[in-house]
Amino acid sequence: MHTVEATPRSSATGVTWDLRDLYIGLDDPALERDLRSALERAQAFEQKYRGRVRQGLDPHSLYEALAELESISEQMDKPLIYAHLLHASDTQNPKHGALLQATQERHTQIRQHLLFFELEWMDLPDDTAQQLINAPEVARYRHYLEKTRLFRPHKLSEPEEKILDLKANTGTRAFQRLFSELISGMTVTVGRGKAAQKLTLDQALTKLHEPDRAVRKSAARAITQTLQNNARVLTYIFNTLVLDHKINDELRKFPSPMHSRHLANEIEPATVDALMTACESAYDIVQDYYRLKKRLLGLRTLYDYDRYAPIIAELPRCEWHEGQRIVLEAYRAFSPAAAQIVQEFFDKNWIDAEIRFGKVGGAFSASTVPSAHPYILVNYTDKLRDVMTLAHELGHGIHQYLSRRVGHLQADTPLTMAEAASTFGEILTFRKLLEGSSDPKVKLALLCSKIEDSFATIFRQIVLTRFEQKLHEARRTHGELPPERIGEIWLATNQQMFGDSVKLTDDYRWWWLYISHFIHVPFYCYAYAFGELLVFALYQKYLHEGEAFVPKYLELLAAGGSDSPQRLLAPLGVNASDPGFWNTGLDFLRSLVEEAHKLARHAS
């Protein structure tokens, strides 16, 4: 049987990031120096400002305090971010795990001296706080001050907050790290006998995109077997973290499991409810498409492992340098300034693209700190869909690169806005790929791939959110849940989306076990649907306004999280709180499916 390759064959082999813009290596003296300096500065900050914030600093003093807090925060975050990136690049290296644990502990130690500031700020009466927020001297930090006070009703006493932060290293964060290391270290044996391959979970998942149905079915069965073999530990992690979420909600008096996420996203629950209801009311789009796909594939029944089957077997592969060219040209046609930023990612080795054992699966863009730059991780397998993933993460990268100007405390956006630039980059690249093809069958295959990606970003994320809601509700009502019960919830929520267009196998009931968002960022998933539908609306504005749209869009990205989503989107003429807003994006998606029907008639 073949073993997992240390460097699997891919044109991206050797394309790894250079993290030296953060630190030279594990033993870089600057890493220890930053941690030690940040602790000393945090202690001095506490000595200088403890008690004064609650009494009400004058605007100038408040600005000085915020500037110092921001500088300390960046200095203490930088080592932890570096450790996270090292760990993501190889979760099986014990030194990386040890550094991550050590920096988390030191980070928590430093935070113990800074927690008082936000707590004292939240203690101020509303009138006093609002006068300070409105003061011209603190205009740079206005939204940070506003957003912090959103959590005022849910704060605990300072000793309680300190205990929770300290205990998270042996609680939430420990279970999150355990989950990542388990998933990254999994191997999946696909095939039998001499043809058997021992793959990483990420490699095995790519087999679901193979044209050979036997390969897809074999891969799905093997993935299920691996998940079942690890189900006991993974289910325990799920149960523990859902219980931990419940305890935090009770301590902080959050009225529902999603409430803390809504506050962090600066979005009203009614807006999320409207988003989810609109998407669920449009499940007929999903079902119509998969009935079309079943006909195109010539299948009597479309099973879950057939969903990502290519429409044509000969869809061209795309090696790394070609993918790089396509993405660059797509961004350049939209904005030369955006393309120039993308070029930096390639030229300066800010991307880790090769596939290797121990590297985390999937893809992400890490914003790091404003004094450095973002880094991107992808697993590039030479598929055309990898080009879209690359475009997606580079969209994040552009967003994070531009938002550095607003500073460390406000650079990151709420999750609802965080997916806008990435999905916008995807659709630019998709149109570039579509325009570059003259073959109707290839055009249809590309269109189907884009539709399926949009389904995964919109409808599937709504399903995942409903699953989370029901999981948390069941855990709170019935106590610790066995994997079979969680699997029933998973199947039921997924079946609602597919109706009778896709038959879900019994194996599929185990596939919730590897989804990291449930573990690392509870209730993240609806933000993907928000971002994709928002982008469909923005893209239509771009088509209508042309070049006039570009500077407004780039300004939106450069603003980062320095204002609320509502205020950031207003200059572009978008009102996401309008319940009818979501139908604009859903109608656009419906038009893509209609286009696929037309192309299918021409391609046949």
Side-chain angles (χ1 to χ4, degrees):
M1 182 174 67
H2 298 298
T3 58
V4 178
E5 299 178 58
T7 52
R9 291 178 182 177
S10 161
S11 62
T13 297
V15 180
T16 59
W17 52 27
D18 181 353
L19 298 178
R20 288 179 296 179
D21 286 344
L22 294 173
Y23 295 102
I24 293 173
L26 280 162
D27 301 322
D28 188 346
L31 200 154
E32 170 60 28
R33 192 162 56 243
D34 278 349
L35 288 168
R36 187 172 59 250
S37 172
L39 176 60
E40 292 169 354
R41 293 175 67 195
Q43 291 169 332
F45 181 85
E46 180 180 28
Q47 186 173 7
K48 181 175 182 179
Y49 290 106
R50 176 176 284 283
R52 292 179 61 195
V53 184
R54 184 177 288 109
Q55 294 168 3
L57 292 169
D58 64 81
H60 178 71
S61 298
L62 179 59
Y63 172 83
E64 289 185 334
L66 288 164
E68 178 65 5
L69 176 66
E70 182 169 60
S71 178
I72 296 170
S73 298
E74 179 167 346
Q75 188 175 41
M76 68 190 252
D77 287 352
K78 186 178 174 183
L80 181 57
I81 291 165
Y82 175 72
H84 271 293
L85 294 178
L86 272 184
H87 187 251
S89 68
D90 184 0
T91 63
Q92 305 306 298
N93 186 328
K95 291 183 178 180
H96 293 177
L99 179 66
L100 178 59
Q101 185 64 31
T103 52
Q104 281 179 338
E105 292 172 8
R106 298 281 293 277
H107 190 272
T108 302
Q109 180 189 15
I110 298 165
R111 271 185 52 79
Q112 295 285 297
H113 299 283
L114 302 176
L115 277 170
F116 80 91
F117 185 87
E118 289 188 354
L119 296 174
E120 288 193 19
W121 169 247
M122 285 189 274
D123 276 343
L124 285 177
D126 288 338
D127 290 347
T128 304
Q130 195 59 52
Q131 288 176 5
L132 288 166
I133 289 170
N134 294 337
E137 293 91 335
V138 297
R140 175 176 174 81
Y141 298 104
R142 175 184 56 78
H143 192 58
Y144 168 78
L145 295 172
E146 288 178 333
K147 187 172 181 179
T148 301
R149 287 185 67 84
L150 293 176
F151 290 86
R152 187 184 184 200
H154 309 289
K155 74 178 182 66
L156 304 177
S157 68
E158 186 176 341
E160 290 169 321
E161 293 285 0
K162 285 185 172 181
I163 290 170
L164 286 177
D165 200 32
L166 282 168
K167 293 292 288 181
N169 286 329
T170 53
T172 308
R173 296 169 196 145
F175 280 106
Q176 289 170 339
R177 174 183 162 191
L178 176 60
F179 176 87
S180 294
E181 293 190 4
L182 278 172
I183 294 296
S184 300
M186 282 182 185
T187 56
V188 180
T189 303
V190 178
R192 295 181 180 181
K194 293 182 179 179
Q197 286 184 298
K198 199 173 183 182
L199 306 173
T200 65
L201 179 60
D202 227 45
Q203 287 174 300
L205 287 166
T206 65
K207 296 292 184 182
L208 300 176
H209 297 260
E210 290 293 326
D212 188 334
R213 196 183 202 194
V215 172
R216 298 196 302 271
K217 185 176 181 180
S218 175
R221 179 85 276 275
I223 290 166
T224 301
Q225 188 63 56
T226 297
L227 293 174
Q228 286 177 318
N229 292 344
N230 290 274
R232 184 177 180 184
V233 175
L234 291 172
T235 304
Y236 183 75
I237 293 172
F238 269 76
N239 271 293
T240 300
L241 290 177
V242 172
L243 176 60
D244 182 77
H245 193 95
K246 171 182 179 287
I247 293 169
N248 281 334
D249 284 350
E250 290 173 346
L251 289 172
R252 297 188 180 281
K253 297 180 173 58
F254 287 121
S256 71
M258 291 180 71
H259 194 81
S260 58
R261 180 61 55 212
H262 294 336
L263 282 180
N265 285 343
E266 299 179 77
I267 192 169
E268 291 296 323
T271 301
V272 179
D273 290 341
L275 162 67
M276 295 181 69
T277 301
C279 290
E280 288 170 329
S281 299
Y283 280 166
D284 65 291
I285 302 175
V286 179
Q287 295 159 19
D288 176 41
Y289 170 76
Y290 280 116
R291 291 189 189 101
L292 169 64
K293 182 162 189 176
K294 181 171 65 175
R295 293 198 302 273
L296 291 171
L297 293 175
L299 300 175
R300 290 175 61 87
T301 303
L302 194 74
Y303 289 99
D304 50 78
Y305 52 77
D306 295 319
R307 288 173 300 145
Y308 299 120
I311 298 301
I312 57 172
E314 64 270 18
L315 195 66
R317 297 177 70 82
C318 188
E319 294 196 350
W320 172 253
H321 290 295
E322 178 64 8
Q324 176 179 331
R325 181 192 66 78
I326 291 168
V327 172
L328 264 170
E329 289 184 1
Y331 275 107
R332 188 175 292 114
F334 172 71
S335 163
Q340 188 174 349
I341 297 170
V342 169
Q343 188 71 60
E344 283 196 68
F345 278 84
F346 292 120
D347 292 347
K348 298 181 178 179
N349 300 320
W350 295 351
I351 302 176
D352 193 307
E354 77 171 13
I355 307 163
R356 57 184 180 272
F357 178 68
K359 178 181 174 181
V360 297
F364 65 76
S365 180
S367 57
T368 74
V369 291
S371 58
H373 53 77
Y375 281 98
I376 285 172
L377 180 145
V378 295
N379 286 274
Y380 198 88
T381 62
D382 294 345
K383 306 280 189 182
L384 269 178
R385 60 188 173 82
D386 295 328
V387 180
M388 300 292 285
T389 300
L390 180 62
H392 180 101
E393 298 307 332
L394 282 165
H396 280 307
I398 293 169
H399 198 170
Q400 294 160 346
Y401 183 100
L402 290 172
S403 68
R404 294 179 302 170
R405 75 176 195 188
V406 299
H408 192 54
L409 293 180
Q410 299 181 131
D412 291 338
T413 66
L415 296 179
T416 42
M417 293 293 294
E419 296 300 326
S422 54
T423 49
F424 196 89
E426 268 193 77
I427 201 166
L428 290 174
T429 304
F430 162 68
R431 286 299 177 189
K432 174 71 178 174
L433 287 168
L434 204 62
E435 291 164 5
S437 175
S438 57
D439 186 333
K441 290 184 178 180
V442 172
K443 279 182 176 289
L444 176 60
L446 289 170
L447 181 57
C448 288
S449 179
K450 175 56 185 170
I451 290 169
E452 290 164 17
D453 285 344
S454 293
F455 285 176
T457 308
I458 298 172
F459 297 115
R460 185 167 187 265
Q461 301 306 319
I462 297 302
V463 166
L464 298 186
T465 304
R466 286 294 186 214
F467 166 75
E468 274 192 283
Q469 286 179 325
K470 293 176 181 179
L471 172 64
H472 282 253
E473 180 184 355
R475 179 66 177 86
R476 294 179 182 205
T477 304
H478 303 292
E480 185 166 302
L481 302 170
E484 293 81 7
R485 175 65 187 122
I486 301 176
E488 290 172 4
I489 298 171
W490 173 255
L491 273 185
T493 49
N494 276 273
Q495 196 66 69
Q496 185 183 358
M497 174 175 67
F498 293 117
D500 62 1
S501 65
V502 176
K503 184 173 178 57
L504 300 178
T505 62
D506 285 340
D507 281 355
Y508 194 65
R509 70 176 61 244
W510 299 92
W511 286 41
W512 51 274
L513 281 163
Y514 74 90
I515 299 175
S516 62
H517 284 324
F518 300 151
I519 300 298
H520 293 288
V521 194
F523 299 105
Y524 186 137
C525 295
Y526 74 77
Y528 281 104
F530 185 108
E532 182 92 349
L533 292 175
L534 170 62
V535 162
F536 284 166
L538 292 177
Y539 185 70
Q540 290 175 87
K541 285 183 175 291
Y542 166 55
L543 294 179
H544 177 70
E545 297 178 16
E547 289 185 7
F549 172 86
V550 177
K552 292 187 291 184
Y553 173 78
L554 294 179
E555 186 60 29
L556 169 70
L557 303 191
S562 62
D563 216 332
S564 68
Q566 293 83 354
R567 290 195 289 243
L568 289 173
L569 290 169
L572 289 94
V574 171
N575 178 15
S577 63
D578 178 3
F581 168 75
W582 308 111
N583 291 325
T584 304
L586 291 168
D587 288 344
F588 178 78
L589 184 53
R590 194 182 297 275
S591 72
L592 293 182
V593 175
E594 291 171 357
E595 188 178 346
H597 276 284
K598 292 176 183 175
L599 274 174
R601 288 193 289 271
H602 293 306
S604 59

